Amino acid sequence: MTVRVGVIGTGNIGTSHARDLASRVAGATVTALYDADAGKSAALAAELGAVSLPTYEDVIASDRVDAVLVASPDNVHAEQALACLSTGKPTLCEKPLAPVEADARAVVDAEVAVGRRLIMMGFMRRFDPGYVELKSQLGPEGIGDPLIVRNCHRNEIAPYGLDSELSLTNAAIHEIDINRWLVDDEYAWVQVLTGRSGPLTPEEQHDPLFVLLQTTAGTLVEIEMFVQSQLGYEVTCNVTAGLGVAEMGDGSYVTTARARHRGHGLPAQWLGRFQEAYRLQLQGWITHLVTGGPMPGASAWDGFVDSLVANRAIDSLRTGERVEITLPERPALYA
Amino acid sequence: MTVRVGVIGTGNIGTSHARDLASRVAGATVTALYDADAGKSAALAAELGAVSLPTYEDVIASDRVDAVLVASPDNVHAEQALACLSTGKPTLCEKPLAPVEADARAVVDAEVAVGRRLIMMGFMRRFDPGYVELKSQLGPEGIGDPLIVRNCHRNEIAPYGLDSELSLTNAAIHEIDINRWLVDDEYAWVQVLTGRSGPLTPEEQHDPLFVLLQTTAGTLVEIEMFVQSQLGYEVTCNVTAGLGVAEMGDGSYVTTARARHRGHGLPAQWLGRFQEAYRLQLQGWITHLVTGGPMPGASAWDGFVDSLVANRAIDSLRTGERVEITLPERPALYA
Amino acid sequence: MTVRVGVIGTGNIGTSHARDLASRVAGATVTALYDADAGKSAALAAELGAVSLPTYEDVIASDRVDAVLVASPDNVHAEQALACLSTGKPTLCEKPLAPVEADARAVVDAEVAVGRRLIMMGFMRRFDPGYVELKSQLGPEGIGDPLIVRNCHRNEIAPYGLDSELSLTNAAIHEIDINRWLVDDEYAWVQVLTGRSGPLTPEEQHDPLFVLLQTTAGTLVEIEMFVQSQLGYEVTCNVTAGLGVAEMGDGSYVTTARARHRGHGLPAQWLGRFQEAYRLQLQGWITHLVTGGPMPGASAWDGFVDSLVANRAIDSLRTGERVEITLPERPALYA
Amino acid sequence: MTVRVGVIGTGNIGTSHARDLASRVAGATVTALYDADAGKSAALAAELGAVSLPTYEDVIASDRVDAVLVASPDNVHAEQALACLSTGKPTLCEKPLAPVEADARAVVDAEVAVGRRLIMMGFMRRFDPGYVELKSQLGPEGIGDPLIVRNCHRNEIAPYGLDSELSLTNAAIHEIDINRWLVDDEYAWVQVLTGRSGPLTPEEQHDPLFVLLQTTAGTLVEIEMFVQSQLGYEVTCNVTAGLGVAEMGDGSYVTTARARHRGHGLPAQWLGRFQEAYRLQLQGWITHLVTGGPMPGASAWDGFVDSLVANRAIDSLRTGERVEITLPERPALYA
């Protein structure tokens, strides 16, 4: 069986996903595309032997589409996920589920009403060989229980300008999700600290943000979210645990020395660091659809919780205070 | 189009290849298997929805097989490659093409007689992200021309006992091949030096071997081939070039510290380090067959040259002298 | 000129200091020793050609002593420093100046009354090649202004049992001092967070402690103080700055691989990591005394500020709240 | 007791030695200096409170000089060492003992005639914390017996122009010495291989040189000697041993990342990398003179053997052949 995928949104990440599905993932083919820029989706459709359709609803409804990949702008993810749910087609939805908690909640409620798990969230770090190796080091056979987790998430430059709240809902939400997964726990409170900002930070914005969370078991989680670091793209995660410590680097193979300097390059953006994670996520999703095995990635519930926590972080950024995090009851569908 | 692959040999590496083709490579399916141990191939066939056939000739001849993967013992590679050639089916042949130069030559001659490039050699390091990144650092935009290349190839333990000549034709042949590719040049001479051996080395054998080669452009290439290093599996490659130096490590993501020690683990064997290279090689082969694009890996001619050099290295090991390397003219087919 | 030093306290660190002064520091000699354990000081005196005296006051008063090194238990540092001040003899005082802020303040007041800078504090990290190199990377020529500084300070095991308040006044006080020096700023507030503790932590104690400070310029400083980490001794310091980041490791020379593992050893305790810093501190102190150049290390004022901050950290640990830090006016003597 | 040292030669290294002796080494003082450039030695004498004398013989003969440090050009080391021997004054002689084997031999013969060990050779790497740590890893408690040792010795640029024979007697002689010390064995043969040279290499010269040696126990030792690498100054040493491998890096403390690159700086020249080794060597020499303990560094016999091996390497460079190394009997004085 080959899964015929329709892709909504053919920007950088949507294009990358479509090409991976077409030629680097077993069991998948891309049949239909939509983008607000019709010329862009038409060109990609020609390259991949797919059709470009005039609306995203056409992609979802197409009888040549078995499953949908949503890679559109953040603020329409929830609306499009709801449309997918109404047709019962499995959906891989890029993160975040929604920038606003209520919109994310609406998707969860709709999926619960359907009664089947159809949505997988595109938190691709759960498939990254680095994070997977890091998680495998935790626990009694390894370095013990996690006590303190430090995350750095640095971009070279903010692609659409710096907006501290967007740093939380669009970027730090990766750490919000991956640390829940890494330590297998939920957060009890969040506090966003600001201080001295980098030289490119406009008035009334803050960069880096220093996000501090504590889980219900007491693990402290810290995120340095530095959107305009001028450094390149870099993601690190260091865990202090009860029996040892572990640090995730970037998996580089080659060290080069020239002209009085030895070291590694840093990529300009995230496709370099997480290229393989994206492909593995797609393969995991397709294999799940083909074999009927368990969904391997983050659920809509995860997407909702991550959005809720990002919203509480915004509350903390606005007030300067620590904000408690209370989760609603988890529906049985996500047990 | 889906390429239906028949796999000859379902030992460790053949099984790994078959599973990759079945579920991790776009455009491929596994339809037929053969192994001298029929129970083994039958079990794998059941797992993959393929058939197990009584002889390797049956696999090659099957009308359910479009292309053949040869993963049998070294000494039958050439014979099976010839059989594949006689049917005109594309073949991915595990390394070496043959332990004996003349057998490798016979395959080249047969392919030239067919007049089409059908055989791709399984020198998977050409697909390894580490070697690819290393090669990309060479040249005028990078660290300049390679002057000295140092290779370490260490195994934890020799799986079938230590035989120094086998260390050359079965193991060091990886470095013989990858360094030709890396520096894009042929060897002019080889010398195998022996010295103090490791504690597990039997009388009359040598381990490590220290293989020294020089290319026609003068680049010195050195190989430490240490089969019973007791260390784990490790492959490194360091290049001193005209404008800088580059070192290929193992691409680990996680550093762990416990009990007064901080570091990385080393894998027990090669499937860990080169797992992704094997998959990428298979994907490259299948994509080549589907799209008709250029063959992305080593050719039968490469396999022949590598076997010839390994045979000259054996001459040097036996005599203790430097041995000149003279290549026959390259057939136009491999231009 | 040779400076004749009297050493008070011949435990581990006092003995190490005395031996360094006797044979590894230019311009110094050790002439008198005192320890509560008279046998211990007598043995060391015999080794170094010095005399062992019955009281610490005898050491300070001796006309064979030009300068005094105080290496006694924390709680008598201030009392002994006051005694040294009363004789006008230059003094190198081990850290902390006092566990209790008021005692530290008394020493500052006494030194101000004397009107000369006689006391240098033994915060040896200011002489450590690692910290010196790290500090040299900051600023406009380097990675820019420091925005976030992360410190880890890990011991294998608490030598006298785990006491969280002692973790602050005896151990974390190193980070309290070195970060003031590193970013050249004073702290505005401190908050001590606790969470999940390591497996060796007794009831009602916390380990690790997570100490968060912010300087007046807004730099966030974080300290992981993990006294019973079971890991070995390790100190790291990572700086995120406006133009780049810098990380201080342990300066190891040799990487070793054996039995499927490659890495570095970690020392059991601090003399290994900071051996050279201790020697350089002693040489700096002696050279200052011989040449009359500026005092190269931390002053009594630094020692007082560090004790004050550690006391505010204890307040935070007890209350769970953020505690503001207000410094008294700096006396002109320390301008 | 304070050792009064006279220094012959106040170029870069002589000046560095004199300053170390004056202010960073316990038990030493510098009393007399000589340099062919009298203005240079007079200025340093003024700085250190010493006298500048008109001839090197005056320094050796001065009754204010207890011991002599020879830091003059290579070709007069032997002549000045002989002059020191004639007065019976202990001497620290910079490497090499002589560029020509016969001159080195004359010094050994003269010292044997005196009947006392007076000369210590300035092979400072024997005091380097990196090499000391590396050597400590060898042996049955560590990684076992050394089988293959790889050395890289790279300079940014040849200070006096590139001369391949000088690369052997002046630069590679460091590796010739340190590997004898490291593996505690003598060489059986040497072969110098040349190949592709770096872009700055003039006609008829070779750079890098690839020097291959084998010890009497069979250990293979390899030296990459790259004088005009354009890279900076770098010395590495990697050991493959019977139970593991060890690699000596540069002991850097700080890793810095800026503008898409993370790494370490490389120093422009050797004083950076080996500054501490030089100081430790001087302290070791002075402590030996003060206490009468064993001489801690390389002997005149070591200096002679190193020069002999370098001369055999020149023979190999000229002929392209492997050259056997035969040592004369070691005099009882050096047993």
Side-chain angles (χ1 to χ4, degrees), chain D residues 3 17 56 58 71 92 116 126 129 161 199 229 232 253 291 295 312 316 321-322:
Chain D
V3 179
H17 284 330
Y56 80 78
D58 293 335
L92 178 59
R116 278 184 300 139
R126 296 183 180 213
S229 71
Y253 280 96
T291 64
M295 184 183 288
R312 289 303 85 75
S316 176
E321 300 296 322
R322 181 186 291 192

Side-chain angles (χ1 to χ4, degrees), chain A residues 154 156 230-234 236 250 256-268, chain D residues 154 156 230-234 236 250 256-268:
Chain A
R154 297 171 185 135
E156 192 169 42
Q230 303 184 62
L231 185 69
Y233 181 71
E234 188 172 41
T236 62
D250 60 6
T256 306
R258 282 192 67 175
R260 297 197 193 164
H261 206 270
R262 176 186 298 281
H264 294 272
L266 297 173
Chain D
R154 298 173 185 133
E156 192 169 42
Q230 304 184 64
L231 184 69
Y233 181 71
E234 188 172 39
T236 61
D250 60 6
T256 306
R258 283 193 66 174
R260 298 196 193 166
H261 206 272
R262 175 186 299 280
H264 293 272
L266 296 172

Side-chain angles (χ1 to χ4, degrees), chain C residues 253-324:
Chain C
Y253 280 96
V254 178
T255 304
T256 306
R258 284 192 67 174
R260 297 198 194 163
H261 206 270
R262 175 186 298 282
H264 294 272
L266 297 172
Q269 43 100 299
W270 58 91
L271 272 175
R273 169 64 181 86
F274 287 112
Q275 193 169 8
E276 179 65 1
Y278 281 119
R279 198 194 61 78
L280 288 168
Q281 176 176 259
L282 291 170
Q283 184 69 69
W285 181 51
I286 295 297
T287 300
H288 149 69
L289 296 180
V290 170
T291 65
M295 183 182 290
S299 67
W301 175 254
D302 288 315
F304 159 67
V305 172
D306 298 335
S307 291
L308 180 155
V309 174
N311 279 233
R312 289 304 83 76
I314 290 177
D315 296 343
S316 176
L317 175 63
R318 290 178 181 171
T319 64
E321 300 296 322
R322 178 186 293 190
V323 176
E324 303 299 313

